[in-house]
Amino acid sequence: MTFTLIAVDREHGLLGAATASRSLAVGNAVIAVDPAVGAVASQAWTNRRLRYQMLEAMADGASAQEAVDRLPGWDAEPGLRQVAALDLQGGIAAATGEKTSGWAGHGVAGDHAVLGNLLVGRKVLDAMSRAFAAGLGIDGIDPRSSLGFAARLLAALDAGDRAGGDSRGRQSAAVVATCVTDEREHPPMLEVDLRSDDHEEPVGELVRLLRLQVERR
């Protein structure tokens, strides 16, 4: 019961994801980024393990589409899942199971994917995609940096929220962003990893936290 964006800025070597939901601590369950591999999301009737499985598949050479296509082999109830994957070779893919709670759907563009379920309608995803494509950010934050990329992700998340977001309301949100690297680390080193786990305005709270991180750098 969530709306999510995973994205890449290939020109500046940036990678990230953002998500929001009327569920507690959505950032703990939905998104994952590996700076040397890509970004993934697993939501709806969330199987958290799918994030690890998709990232490991891509680390072993699978494309984003191939990782998403392997869902039925990893999960006994793929119709309940909604997933997305982005690899660093230019691949982006997403899938929405036929049993996910409506309105549910996804969209894929050249540098990002949007997906959501239990939304007020497709307009949520359309608003997110348009805002991200427009390169909206936060004044005073360099858009070429990980912090600036996080601001761009949050602008897209805010656009989805303003378009109606989760049909049940608001509770939590999260954003992660980092520079692409050549070698894997565990845990991955993320330059931005912010969560608002239980808040009346979780996206706005993330904007406040990001500004605070900028000020303290």
Side-chain angles (χ1 to χ4, degrees):
M1 296 68 175
T2 305
F3 53 103
T4 299
L5 168 76
I6 62 172
V8 63
D9 178 340
R10 295 189 182 88
E11 180 181 358
H12 300 109
L14 303 170
L15 185 67
T19 185
S21 179
R22 181 61 175 85
S23 297
L24 182 69
V26 66
N28 183 53
V30 169
I31 53 178
V33 168
D34 186 320
V37 177
V40 296
S42 174
Q43 58 190 48
W45 299 88
T46 310
N47 179 344
R48 301 183 185 193
R49 184 172 175 79
L50 293 174
R51 297 175 298 176
Y52 167 81
Q53 291 169 308
M54 288 188 290
L55 284 173
E56 288 303 302
M58 291 191 296
D60 287 340
S63 68
Q65 186 65 62
E66 289 169 338
V68 168
D69 288 345
R70 291 182 189 180
L71 176 59
W74 291 327
D75 192 298
E77 297 183 284
L80 294 173
R81 318 303 178 199
Q82 188 174 46
V83 299
L86 182 158
D87 64 50
L88 298 180
Q89 288 69 50
I92 306 176
T96 299
E98 70 277 7
K99 296 181 182 179
T100 53
S101 303
W103 187 92
H106 61 269
V108 175
D111 58 358
H112 69 278
V114 289
L115 61 160
N117 61 92
L118 209 63
L119 304 183
V120 299
R122 175 168 287 280
K123 63 181 182 179
V124 176
L125 302 187
D126 291 343
M128 293 170 66
S129 191
R130 285 195 302 269
F132 183 78
L136 302 177
I138 297 175
D139 290 343
I141 303 180
D142 183 356
R144 300 165 297 179
S145 67
S146 293
L147 291 165
F149 196 57
R152 186 178 173 188
L153 293 168
L154 286 179
L157 201 65
D158 181 62
D161 192 37
R162 292 178 182 275
D166 187 323
S167 61
R168 302 168 302 163
R170 304 177 178 93
Q171 187 170 8
S172 66
V175 61
V176 293
T178 194
C179 293
V180 172
T181 61
D182 292 328
E183 296 185 7
R184 301 187 76 187
E185 294 181 290
H186 184 75
M189 299 297 290
L190 304 178
E191 297 182 36
V192 178
D193 187 357
L194 299 174
R195 300 179 184 177
S196 177
D197 287 340
D198 183 22
H199 198 280
E200 291 183 359
E201 297 290 341
V203 178
E205 174 64 2
L206 287 183
V207 172
R208 185 189 72 83
L209 292 174
L210 183 62
R211 289 187 181 278
L212 190 61
Q213 183 174 347
V214 171
E215 292 171 3
R216 295 188 176 183
R217 281 179 69 89

